[in-house]
């Protein structure tokens, strides 16, 4: 069984996204959006090669667009590690270590 894990930065990103969504679209939409991220992470864990490669930023880094955000992740022995979840307007080079 494949798994996904979230870095501390990704957890912070999701918390910020949830707060923004609640404030602008309501709690119900925030829950729906959170659930859609969890489904996306599960899909990536099962199919880690789906994303685009970004070796020029970090060796092994991949990204996958999800609605208004981009999920940046690394393949692991058991699935994926979600490194960051950035809004489509955010410059990845500035937010990825």
């Amino acid at each position: 069984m494949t798994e996904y894990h979230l870095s501390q930065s990704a957890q912070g990103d999701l918390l910020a996204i949830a707060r923004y969504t609640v404030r602008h679209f309501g709690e119900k939409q925030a829950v729906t959006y959170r659930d859609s991220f969890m489904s996306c992470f599960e899909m990536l864990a099962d199919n880690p090669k789906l994303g685009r490669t970004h070796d020029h930023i970090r060796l092994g880094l991949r990204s996958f667009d999800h609605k208004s955000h981009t999920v940046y992740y690394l393949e692991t022995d058991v699935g994926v590690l979600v490194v960051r979840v950035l809004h489509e307007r955010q410059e990845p080079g500035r937010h990825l270590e």
Side-chain angles (χ1 to χ4, degrees), residues 10-54:
Q11 290 175 26
D13 295 335
L14 291 173
L15 183 57
I17 292 165
R19 287 180 178 151
Y20 179 88
T21 305
V22 166
R23 191 170 46 250
H24 293 276
F25 304 104
E27 189 172 330
K28 184 177 179 183
Q29 182 59 35
V31 170
T32 299
Y33 204 28
R34 180 206 61 206
D35 291 349
S36 75
F37 274 115
M38 300 306 120
S39 295
C40 177
F41 300 156
E42 290 170 4
M43 178 187 66
L44 291 173
D46 289 337
N47 305 284
K49 303 278 191 245
L50 281 178
R52 295 184 308 273
T53 60
H54 292 279

Side-chain angles (χ1 to χ4, degrees), residues 67-81:
K67 302 193 183 224
S68 297
H69 290 84
T70 302
V71 177
Y72 291 89
Y73 66 96
L74 298 166
E75 187 173 356
T76 67
D77 291 339
V78 295
V80 297
L81 170 65

Side-chain angles (χ1 to χ4, degrees), residues 46-95:
D46 289 337
N47 305 284
K49 303 278 191 245
L50 281 178
R52 295 184 308 273
T53 60
H54 292 279
D55 288 336
H56 63 285
I57 297 174
R58 183 173 174 184
L59 190 61
L61 184 67
R62 291 181 173 269
S63 71
F64 187 83
D65 294 336
H66 179 70
K67 302 193 183 224
S68 297
H69 290 84
T70 302
V71 177
Y72 291 89
Y73 66 96
L74 298 166
E75 187 173 356
T76 67
D77 291 339
V78 295
V80 297
L81 170 65
V82 177
V83 177
R84 294 298 304 258
V85 181
L86 302 177
H87 189 272
E88 62 191 3
R89 293 185 187 140
Q90 289 177 287
E91 176 60 40
R94 293 184 56 175
H95 299 280

